[in-house]
Amino acid sequence: MFKKVLSAKKSNTSIRNRLNLYFSILVILILSVLILILGVNGVFSFYDKELESVLNSQLENSCYKIQEEMDVLAANSIALSEEITENVTSVLLEEGKNFDDLKDNPQLIYEIENRLYPNLNTTLKSSQCSGVFAILDTTINSNILNAENSKSGLYLRFVNLNAENPVHQSVVMFRGIADIARNENVELHNRWDLEFDSQNLTFYNDMIATNSNKLSESYIYCNRLKLTETWEEISLLSVPIFDNYGNVIGICGTELSKIYFKTNLPATESSYGKIMTILSPIEDDKIFVEDGMVGTTANVGIETLDFLTVEKGKHFNRYTSENENYIGIHEVINLPSENGKDFAVLTLIPESGYKLYVRKHNFLWILGSILFFLFSLVLVFLFSKKFVEPIKNSLKNLTETELSQCQQSGIQEFDELISVLQKKSQQDNNIPQEKNLPKNMDDLIVDFTKRVETLTPAEQSIFQYYIDGYDLKEIAELNFISISTAKKHNTNINKKLKTSSKEELMLYIELFRRCDCLDRISSKN
Amino acid sequence: MKKIFSIMLIFVMLSFALTSCKNNENELVVITMWHVYGGQTDSPLNNLIDEFNSTVGAEQGIFVRVDAVSNSNNIHKGILSSVNNEPGAGKLPDIFASYPKTILAMPDDNILVDYNDYFTDDELSAFVPAFLDEGKIGDRLLGLPVAKSTEIMFVNQTAFDRFSAETGVKVSDMYTWDGLFDVSKQYTNWSDSKTPETLNDGKSLLAHDYHFNYFQVGVESLNENFFTENSLNFSKTFGNVWQPYADAVLNGGVWLKGGYATEPLRTGDAIVSVASSASVLYYSNKVTYPDNTTETVEFTAHPVPTFENGEPLVMQRGVGMYTVKSTPEKEKAAVAFLKWLTEPEINTKFVTKAGYMPVTSESFDKYLAPAVETIDNPMYKELYKAFIKTQENYTFYNAPLHPNYLDLEMRFEEQIRYHFEAEKLNYLSTEGNISDEIISDSLDKFKKNYEN
């Protein structure tokens, strides 16, 4: 380019090409400076910052929502535990029994479950949960197989987990005495059973053995587990139940099913794709997704993952797995777990979605720049054409018409040039010595010119042949005359021109040629 | 100059094409669904949906998300509360499974996709015609069958054998309604006699999912119309159907509490059920008794009883799939999923796991028999044997698209159970001596209450 610019200076380049070149350089310079300024001002890392802001905002909302709901669930579970304590104590007092007498006493257990049903039903309908349960550390029949793990209690669940209004929801009994369900006009779950199997609740024994007698310090949110014999997965917020002496006699709490969690925490639309929310145990750089709950996603993959590994980043983190990677951020919330791990809320998007978005927008930037460049070039070509066109027209006008008849072009500089030329031409006409020759030479030329004008047309013709370089013989042939006639014309020519010989005549002709004045004596003009 | 403009135009078009391609790759069309296949148990349809999402769905950018698996009654309630904009009602799903009664109860069924717009005549001709008919409302095809069921009689064979051993009663005695009701009375007396210290604690033999269906199919099988223009036809034939039923109910032989028939069989409160073949999913081979002892039992399946002098008629059941109108992309995606689900091989795979009949002729002719051969679960084997007998010997009965069908059915179902709960208490003192007069009176009372 630089070479071209230099060569443009030297070579015989048209004004238009020069203009095209200079303007193109200007456009490239402006574009480069623009990109540099945008780059320095962080426009190209804008996406990272924007995504960080979006993720932060989503995380803040999710954390607030989950924390608040978990706090309410914990409070409701604690209240349920206290009500159960009160009702169990009341029934035992009425019957003159103590808690140990419940074992192998179906009638007494029926009395207690019957009394507890309204408490559980009210808690279920007044809490943001999908089910509610109360397990008493006793059994209807201690003589059956696996009796040590069989525990009496009630477990009520909503039938349609997707409905958002708990007041009119149908309730189904998953565990408990069937007659209670029938009295309450509640259906039995298709996988109903009379009692709980404590082996399915990994935290049961630890909770029963708890030393703390403060309910607010004893609740836990358990890892995700499969609801026995169904396709559903749940998490339980569990609280111990104490008797009047502070002994643990069972556990109770609320259930959050996977579907309920999904509908409660829908994926949020963003420019980068759907942002999903996960509540999951975390330890060091590992997120145990298999033990947590996943909000609505449009992606089956993440729900089947065992864990995600966290790679910390400047604006956000990368969460890697064997299959797909995600980007997002997380925050630990205050939620006691069954195994001492923290619970974290994560807001994530698939990394592929983010990359695609950035690629798409970078592509648009590049495309925009190219289009801008092309558009500028088109303007350069158009402007240069517009600029040169009147000049070319004026030149054409000048060549096609007499200088004196040249019209105004509308271009100030060009019109001034024409004006100067016209003045010069006028001077030339008034002063024949227009050529810049020495005075004597000029006089000689003017005199000789005047003498040439005295030649007859025939002599003029012969003289012209001499100018054109023919010799006497050729001139005679070309004029269809005899050599003697030609010689006679020569004699007249010499006489009129005051030359003594052909050599002198030719000397004059040469002089005129060299002085670039041949046109004055040539009849060809 | 023209060249430059052409190049620019190509650039712009290319960029739009490229960006739109990328969008399609990234954004899945999410289809939400409420269905009935496997509520509260392992869902065979959910497994198939996972298969669809990871194969065909992934290729076509479709993701089917199951938001609810419940029974048809709950879906019916959920859909109606959504379309009626009741406070707290959820958002309508893109696809839901239901009976035509739900559509008839809707204030405006124009919110549903007409499958005629998405299926060619050839595609529709692959379906069993009788199955398609149920989804037709006028000239529109709103419900698409994906699996069909019928009513089957399930017997807790282990418990029945104990009863049979002492009384000589056989399962074949229950092949007619009169026989079944007679056996149910015997069972109540027999079980009552097991605890002489407690009076009137005899157990019911029979649990029926829909008592309304017993009367409807019974009356129709005796060549009498069950419905009048606005209500039920309490004809003499109705009285004939009522008689053995009422006799057994008042004697305690029939389970009257609400809920599905699987429930009392699970608790040992009944040992025979007449229910949808699809309820096979919900039967467990474990019966839990009130003392928390459990028993592993064997179930057998049989065609439903008939009236001796009646036509062998059986209720055709099974919900259809309804698609809610939305955007053309979503509608196409929903239909793409339904087409996949009704492909003969996929459909057979689905129905044989759920206890249903397939919906295309090719599935019946080519895939069903080999698929049944590979079934390991003995209860499913029993069911398909009963299916084959039913298909050979019975005519399928489709409930009519009566404008008040739902109201008539729900009112009947509630009132008949309530009526006999009350009547049972009244006639408990008769010590099993239920006269024809008492039965006739009870019908009069029921008619009077029902028609009010």
Side-chain angles (χ1 to χ4, degrees), chain A residues 141 144 150 159 162 165 182 188-195 230-231 296 298 300 356 360 363 367 378, chain B residues 4 15 23 26 28 34 38 40-42 65 69 74 87 255 263 266-267 269 281-282 286 288 291-292:
Chain A
N141 190 343
I144 60 167
S150 187
V159 175
N162 193 40
N165 182 357
R182 285 164 190 155
L188 294 185
H189 191 283
N190 282 316
R191 289 294 174 263
W192 165 88
D193 220 332
L194 181 62
E195 293 198 333
T230 76
W231 56 277
T296 308
V300 270
L356 187 70
K360 188 173 132 187
F363 175 75
L367 185 72
V378 170
Chain B
I4 292 168
S15 62
N23 274 346
N26 187 36
L28 290 170
W34 293 0
Q40 305 170 4
T41 63
D42 277 323
R65 193 182 77 209
V69 183
N74 284 315
W255 181 256
E263 197 178 290
R266 190 171 173 88
T267 56
D269 290 304
L281 263 176
Y282 309 126
K286 188 176 94 172
T288 305
D291 63 353
N292 204 24

Side-chain angles (χ1 to χ4, degrees), chain A residues 296-339:
Chain A
T296 308
T297 66
N299 177 326
V300 270
I302 196 159
E303 291 176 34
T304 54
L305 289 180
D306 292 343
F307 62 86
L308 288 166
T309 307
V310 187
E311 289 174 14
K312 294 266 183 191
K314 185 183 169 190
H315 295 288
F316 39 72
N317 305 326
R318 273 185 95 220
Y319 297 85
T320 56
S321 70
E322 282 180 1
N323 304 322
E324 190 166 8
N325 298 329
Y326 301 86
I327 54 178
I329 45 176
H330 68 263
E331 188 178 320
V332 171
I333 61 165
N334 178 24
L335 190 61
S337 69
E338 63 176 285
N339 45 17

Side-chain angles (χ1 to χ4, degrees), chain A residues 68-240:
Chain A
E68 194 187 33
E69 285 181 7
M70 288 300 177
D71 286 349
V72 172
L73 277 187
N76 287 353
S77 302
I78 288 168
L80 177 67
S81 170
E82 288 167 345
E83 285 168 5
I84 292 171
T85 301
E86 202 175 303
N87 278 315
V88 170
T89 307
S90 168
V91 172
L92 290 176
L93 274 176
E94 284 166 20
E95 300 290 328
K97 306 275 184 188
N98 59 44
F99 187 77
D100 291 338
D101 296 331
L102 283 175
K103 191 189 273 186
D104 297 326
N105 192 337
Q107 189 54 40
L108 194 54
I109 289 174
Y110 173 86
E111 291 296 326
I112 286 182
E113 286 187 13
N114 206 26
R115 190 76 71 91
L116 298 185
Y117 182 88
N119 300 128
L120 268 77
N121 193 37
T122 307
T123 303
L124 176 62
K125 293 190 170 177
S126 60
S127 306
Q128 291 279 325
C129 64
S130 52
V132 61
F133 67 96
I135 306 172
L136 298 174
D137 197 34
T138 188
T139 180
I140 279 176
N141 190 343
S142 62
N143 299 316
I144 60 167
L145 197 68
N146 195 33
E148 67 278 13
N149 295 315
S150 187
K151 306 292 175 190
S152 295
L154 283 173
Y155 195 158
L156 306 179
R157 307 187 72 233
F158 282 133
V159 175
N160 185 358
L161 299 175
N162 193 40
E164 288 151 13
N165 182 357
V167 181
H168 300 298
Q169 276 243 49
S170 300
V171 174
V172 66
M173 181 187 277
F174 188 55
R175 294 286 183 267
I177 295 171
D179 282 344
I180 295 174
R182 285 164 190 155
N183 293 343
E184 299 290 343
N185 207 19
V186 163
E187 283 180 27
L188 294 185
H189 191 283
N190 282 316
R191 289 294 174 263
W192 165 88
D193 220 332
L194 181 62
E195 293 198 333
F196 292 82
D197 185 346
S198 63
Q199 289 179 113
N200 296 327
L201 305 169
T202 48
F203 57 93
Y204 181 83
N205 289 333
D206 287 343
M207 197 157 241
I208 287 291
T210 184
N211 291 322
S212 169
N213 54 7
K214 271 194 173 178
L215 287 171
S216 58
E217 290 173 358
S218 313
Y219 77 90
I220 58 129
Y221 182 70
C222 80
N223 291 343
R224 176 165 32 132
L225 47 96
K226 197 159 164 45
L227 199 64
T228 320
E229 289 187 80
T230 76
W231 56 277
E232 287 189 62
E233 290 177 299
I234 54 159
S235 279
L236 300 172
L237 197 148
S238 189
V239 186

